[in-house]
Amino acid sequence: MTELNIPNISLNDGTAIPQLGFGVFLVDADEAVRVAADALDTGYRHLDTAMVYRNEAETAQAMRESGIAREDIYLTTKLWNGDQSRPLDAFQESLDRLQLDYVDLYLIHWPLPTVGTALGAWEGLIKIAESGRAKSIGVSNFETEHLQQLIDETGVTPAVNQIELHPYHQRGELREYCREHGIAVEAWGPIGQGKTDLFEQAPIVQAAQAHGVTPAQVILRWHTQHDIIVIPKTVSKERMLENASIFGFELNADEMAAIDALERGANNGPDPRTYDNR
Ligand code: NAD
């Protein structure tokens, strides 16, 4: 196995998370054991699933079958929107599907501001963390006002905010708020979900040529040099290795600035301020 040298990022609760993980969104259940096993075999030690991905059981099966010690794998799962009013039961159901007695990180998947149940859900996650069954708790797709409400009402700051983030959608203000509050930022869709022409943009192509790497590697390296956690997804074992082999080169300040300049406020996913799918 290649040495990937994946660094850890310290979280505000004293734990640490591998800066690069592997996401299993849209990996069908019948392929998920093979895909998660390939990711672990490639050297990933951080897996990101969710109740709504319908592959929690398969992801955890691959963990068990890998022979890698439980404490050497970082596992995230998420509370689905329809379960925000029953976080403790929904969490136990996730643990039952996973056949695990703890997860490393449990996230509220969306803020649902038009529904108004996220604060109650966060109070549930605080109890789950106190029980030790989630080592860390955090949120996903939260804007500054959604984060501020949780902090104001409970005094407990999420450890992580997992948000859509890539060079076309850089979330400058939200990242700055998270930095000021000690919230680690994790990028979903870090390479644009394969839906954009990001890979053809000159600053990315030029940096790829200069460093003898691929556009995907340049984009993932750009994230990590901004202290962002990344969880790219692919079902191809070759691309798993490509996406993880990003810690052996360094983008210079000009290359970073040229990629920063690609910002266009263009999200691929839903707007967290209006999304209410349950
Ligand atoms: P991504 O940016 O990781 O893109 C994945 C797609 O990019 C793949 O399907 C493939 O088509 C392509 N790809 C991957 N590696 C490539 C390479 N080296 N070269 C060329 N193309 C490549 O998007 P994603 O899967 O949506 O996001 C990653 C993870 O983030 C998910 O698997 C999931 O765990 C998480 N996620 C979370 C949320 C949320 O609301 N919290 C939403 C979406 C995704």
Side-chain angles (χ1 to χ4, degrees), residues 130-142:
E130 284 167 357
S131 77
R133 294 176 304 153
K135 304 280 181 204
S136 296
I137 51 173
V139 296
S140 179
N141 299 299
F142 275 49

Side-chain angles (χ1 to χ4, degrees), residues 23 25 48 53 140-141 162 188-191 193 231 233 242-243:
F25 178 45
D48 182 275
Y53 301 169
S140 179
N141 299 299
Q162 183 182 115
W188 68 254
I191 51 175
Q193 299 190 298
I231 46 170
K233 172 245 171 179
E242 174 187 338
N243 293 347

Side-chain angles (χ1 to χ4, degrees), residues 9-267:
I9 295 265
S10 297
L11 301 182
N12 62 15
D13 56 12
T15 66
I17 182 171
Q19 192 177 14
L20 178 122
F22 184 82
V24 293
F25 178 45
L26 296 182
V27 179
D28 292 339
D30 59 3
E31 210 189 1
V33 178
R34 191 277 295 168
V35 168
D38 279 353
L40 292 170
D41 189 52
T42 301
Y44 290 82
R45 290 292 179 272
H46 165 184
L47 302 175
D48 182 275
T49 183
M51 180 275 179
V52 77
Y53 301 169
R54 309 272 175 210
N55 55 25
E56 286 175 311
E58 291 76 11
T59 302
Q61 185 186 334
M63 288 167 60
R64 272 189 301 281
E65 291 174 358
S66 72
I68 300 164
R70 170 68 189 92
E71 62 270 24
D72 292 335
I73 302 175
Y74 194 99
L75 179 71
T76 301
T77 194
K78 312 184 191 89
L79 175 71
W80 183 241
N81 298 345
D83 291 327
Q84 285 197 353
S85 55
R86 51 186 294 280
L88 284 106
D89 288 347
F91 177 70
Q92 187 56 49
E93 288 160 15
S94 276
L95 282 187
D96 292 347
R97 277 187 296 273
L98 293 159
Q99 297 179 46
L100 294 175
D101 49 18
Y102 75 92
V103 301
D104 295 277
L105 178 61
Y106 195 47
L107 303 178
I108 299 178
H109 211 139
W110 289 87
L112 307 188
T114 61
V115 182
T117 45
L119 176 59
W122 183 241
E123 289 166 346
L125 263 63
I126 293 169
K127 291 199 183 99
I128 292 166
E130 284 167 357
S131 77
R133 294 176 304 153
K135 304 280 181 204
S136 296
I137 51 173
V139 296
S140 179
N141 299 299
F142 275 49
E143 300 291 333
T144 54
E145 69 273 20
H146 311 140
L147 292 163
Q148 193 62 52
Q149 187 201 19
L150 301 189
I151 297 168
D152 287 346
E153 299 291 333
T154 68
V156 180
T157 303
V160 168
N161 189 15
Q162 183 182 115
I163 54 174
E164 182 184 351
L165 183 52
H166 44 78
Y168 283 163
H169 191 56
Q170 299 185 20
R171 312 312 319 273
E173 271 177 45
L174 178 55
R175 275 164 55 203
E176 181 55 22
Y177 174 96
C178 288
R179 197 190 59 73
E180 283 168 7
H181 289 80
I183 302 169
V185 174
E186 184 170 32
W188 68 254
I191 51 175
Q193 299 190 298
K195 291 179 182 168
T196 70
D197 61 358
L198 251 184
F199 289 3
E200 289 142 42
Q201 289 299 316
I204 290 168
V205 173
Q206 284 161 10
Q209 283 165 354
H211 295 277
V213 298
T214 66
Q217 289 173 312
V218 168
I219 298 165
L220 292 167
R221 188 70 184 122
W222 170 84
H223 282 284
T224 60
Q225 286 185 217
H226 276 308
D227 299 327
I228 295 162
I229 301 159
V230 284
I231 46 170
K233 172 245 171 179
T234 173
V235 294
S236 139
K237 196 171 183 192
E238 218 167 279
R239 282 179 171 174
M240 288 176 194
L241 181 59
E242 174 187 338
N243 293 347
S245 303
I246 57 167
F247 296 103
F249 68 100
E250 184 98 11
L251 300 172
N252 66 35
D254 289 344
E255 290 167 333
M256 289 293 287
I259 300 172
D260 290 344
L262 293 175
E263 165 69 352
R264 52 177 75 164
N267 49 309

